[in-house]
Amino acid sequence: MANVLIIGGGIIGLSSAYYLQKAGHQVTVLDKGDMLDSCSYGNAGMIVPSHFIPLATPGMVSQGIKWMFNSKSPFYVKPSLNPDLIKWGLKFLKKANADHVEHSAVPLTELSLLSKKLYEDLSAEPGFDFDLVEKGILMFYKTEKAAEEEAHLAEKGRELGLDMAVLSADECKQLQPKLALDVLGAVHYRCDAHLSPNKLMAALIKYLKTAGVKLLSNTEVTKIESKEGKVTGVIAANQKFTADEYIIAGGSWSPAIAKLLKINVLLMPGKGYSFNVTDDSDTMQIPALLAEARVAITPMNGGLRYGGTMELDAINSRINMNRVKGIVESVPKYFPELQPAVPEQKDIWFGFRPSSADGLPYIGKSKHYSNLTIATGHGMMGLSLGAATGLLTSEIISGKATTIDIKAFAPDRS
C-alpha cells in the first residue's frame, strides 16, 4: 500500500482521501486554507447527470460576447493580456464545436452517473447524513428559443439513458402547487439529485480524522522537489513532506501548484456567488435552474440557496454587486412570489470554479512524473463529480482498472 500526499482539501481532495483510505493507503491532505470555506461549501449542492454538455459549445461563443457588455450577465470574461487566459481562450474557441460536444457527452454522463451512485452508497453509511434528496431538478424557461433548446437537450439526454421529461407550466404547477410560476414550462431532470454540501464536507472531514488520515490545514505548498521523472518531496509551512504518490487536487489553485513542477494545467478560475435566505414555507421542494438567467435555486437547511454567475478573472476577493443583483432580479421573473432582497456584502459567499478550456475535468496520471496524479478542472460540477473523481483517483493509484474509461479526462490531452 502506498503513502499518498494530496494537495488540496476541497471535495475532490477529500473524496480522493476517502477512497484511498478505504483501499488501505496511508493518506495526508495539505490545504492552504482551513478546509472550511472552499468552493465545495457554497455551491448549489446539485448532482447533475443532466449536465452532459461541456462549457465549450458553439453557442457559448456568440452568447458570451453579448454577455460581456452586460454588468449583470451570468457569464463574464475580464479582458486581460494574461498569457494563461489567452491560451485558455484559444483552446476554448478550438473546442467550441459540435464534434467536441458530441464526443464529450458519453464520458461526462458516465462520470456523473458513477458519482450519483457513489453518493447514494455513501449516504447509507453511518455518519454520512448529508440530506441527499432524489426529486430531480427543474430547468425552467420563459422563451420559445430556450424551450426548443431544452427540448432538444432532453431528447439527447434520453438517448444517453437519462430520465428527462418536458413539462408544461401546468404540469410544473402540479409538482409544487404552492409555487407561483411565470414560465412557459420546464424540463424535469429526474436523473438529478441534490444534497447539503456543508453537511457532506463536515461528514467527510469527521470520518477522515477518525480513520487516521492526516488533514493539515493552513499548510500552503511553496516548493515541490523532483528527480528523474518522479516527485520526491513537497515543502509546505516550512516542513518537508515525502510520499510514494502525489495528487494535485487544488481546484483553481492547481495551475500555480503544477507550475512548481514546471508543468502546465490549463485552468481559469470562474468566480461564482451564492447567498442563503431562510424560508420555511416549503413552496419550493425541487431545485430550480433558470435557463435564460443561468441561476440555481436549491432548498437547503431550512431555506433557499441562490447561486449563479461565471466570472473568468484572476483569483481575487472582489464582490461584484451588479452580478449579485443580476441573480436577485432574475428570480421574480420566473417565480413572482419569490422576491429575495439583495444581500449585504458580508452575507455573500463567493468561490472559484476551476474551469478547463474544453469543459472536461482533468483526471489521470501526469505524463511528466510517474508518481503524480492530477484531479481538478471540474468547473461548476466539482461537488457533483467529487465522489466519482475520488474513486477513480484511488483506482489509478492502486493500479486497478478504472470503473469507467477516463481517456477523455487525460491531464495532458491536446
Side-chain angles (χ1 to χ4, degrees), residues 21-72:
Q21 188 277 329
K22 287 282 190 184
H25 300 286
Q26 293 290 315
V27 185
T28 300
V29 181
L30 309 181
D31 194 85
K32 67 190 284 296
D34 59 10
M35 299 194 205
L36 300 175
D37 191 32
S38 66
C39 207
S40 311
Y41 284 85
N43 63 71
M46 294 179 174
I47 310 302
V48 284
S50 60
H51 286 37
F52 56 86
I53 300 291
L55 181 66
T57 62
M60 195 61 179
V61 178
S62 55
Q63 182 64 70
I65 291 167
K66 289 175 196 164
W67 277 335
M68 288 282 286
F69 301 101
N70 178 359
S71 66
K72 293 180 180 176

Side-chain angles (χ1 to χ4, degrees), residues 50-173:
S50 60
H51 286 37
F52 56 86
I53 300 291
L55 181 66
T57 62
M60 195 61 179
V61 178
S62 55
Q63 182 64 70
I65 291 167
K66 289 175 196 164
W67 277 335
M68 288 282 286
F69 301 101
N70 178 359
S71 66
K72 293 180 180 176
S73 71
F75 181 76
Y76 178 71
V77 181
K78 185 175 182 185
S80 164
L81 293 176
N82 174 350
D84 290 335
L85 175 60
I86 293 167
K87 208 181 292 180
W88 188 98
L90 289 172
K91 184 166 183 183
F92 181 89
L93 290 170
K94 180 184 164 190
K95 292 292 184 180
N97 60 64
D99 270 358
H100 174 62
V101 172
E102 190 71 30
H103 290 138
S104 301
V106 169
L108 271 177
T109 302
E110 288 178 348
L111 188 61
S112 280
L113 290 174
L114 173 60
S115 217
K116 186 185 176 195
K117 170 70 169 62
L118 291 170
Y119 279 127
E120 289 167 350
D121 295 346
L122 192 59
S123 70
E125 293 286 324
F128 279 95
D129 177 13
F130 44 84
D131 300 342
L132 181 66
V133 179
E134 301 194 56
K135 292 184 178 179
I137 293 171
L138 285 161
M139 172 66 91
F140 289 96
Y141 43 78
K142 291 181 65 70
T143 60
E144 291 290 355
K145 182 174 182 287
E148 193 178 316
E149 288 171 357
E150 291 305 322
H152 175 67
L153 279 179
E155 191 180 321
K156 291 292 293 177
R158 286 193 291 268
E159 286 172 16
L160 290 163
L162 299 173
D163 187 1
M164 296 182 170
V166 179
L167 305 183
S168 67
D170 284 344
E171 288 169 320
C172 294
K173 188 75 182 161

Side-chain angles (χ1 to χ4, degrees), residues 181-388:
L181 299 175
D182 182 4
V183 297
L184 277 183
V187 174
H188 192 185
Y189 299 149
R190 294 172 178 153
C191 51
D192 291 357
H194 71 283
L195 54 79
S196 168
N198 304 59
K199 290 184 179 180
L200 171 64
M201 294 295 284
L204 275 171
I205 287 170
K206 185 177 179 185
Y207 170 85
L208 293 170
K209 283 181 174 173
T210 306
V213 172
K214 291 178 187 164
L215 301 179
L216 302 178
S217 55
N218 302 308
T219 308
E220 183 172 2
V221 173
T222 51
K223 186 179 179 185
I224 304 179
E225 297 173 346
S226 62
K227 188 177 181 182
E228 296 169 356
K230 289 189 82 167
V231 179
T232 54
V234 165
I235 310 297
N238 298 317
Q239 297 178 68
K240 182 170 179 177
F241 298 87
T242 58
D244 304 311
E245 295 281 342
Y246 298 81
I247 300 170
I248 294 178
S252 290
W253 286 265
S254 296
I257 297 163
K259 275 179 182 167
L260 297 173
L261 283 164
K262 297 184 172 57
I263 57 176
N264 187 41
V265 174
L266 191 57
L267 286 183
M268 284 301 294
K271 187 192 282 183
Y273 299 100
S274 74
F275 58 92
N276 300 318
V277 175
T278 303
D279 184 341
D280 55 8
S281 63
D282 226 19
T283 53
M284 183 181 284
Q285 300 170 337
I286 301 170
L289 292 167
L290 313 185
E292 296 88 349
R294 299 290 209 278
V295 165
I297 309 170
T298 310
M300 195 182 293
N301 305 333
L304 295 174
R305 175 168 288 178
Y306 296 88
T309 83
M310 178 72 116
E311 229 178 273
L312 291 181
D313 191 1
I315 291 173
N316 63 77
S317 58
R318 293 189 301 271
I319 291 179
N320 186 327
M321 288 305 293
N322 268 344
R323 302 223 172 269
V324 178
K325 285 173 188 167
I327 296 171
V328 168
E329 289 167 9
S330 69
V331 175
K333 293 175 184 171
Y334 295 77
F335 313 121
E337 291 174 11
L338 273 189
Q339 302 199 8
V342 176
E344 288 185 46
Q345 202 152 313
K346 67 177 177 61
D347 297 325
I348 298 166
W349 176 92
F350 65 88
F352 299 95
R353 309 180 188 101
S355 304
S356 68
D358 61 7
L360 298 175
Y362 297 116
I363 308 168
K365 283 274 189 184
S366 165
K367 70 179 181 187
H368 303 284
Y369 298 94
S370 61
N371 63 342
L372 177 66
T373 300
I374 293 171
T376 188
H378 297 73
M380 292 189 278
M381 295 191 290
L383 179 95
S384 185
L385 302 177

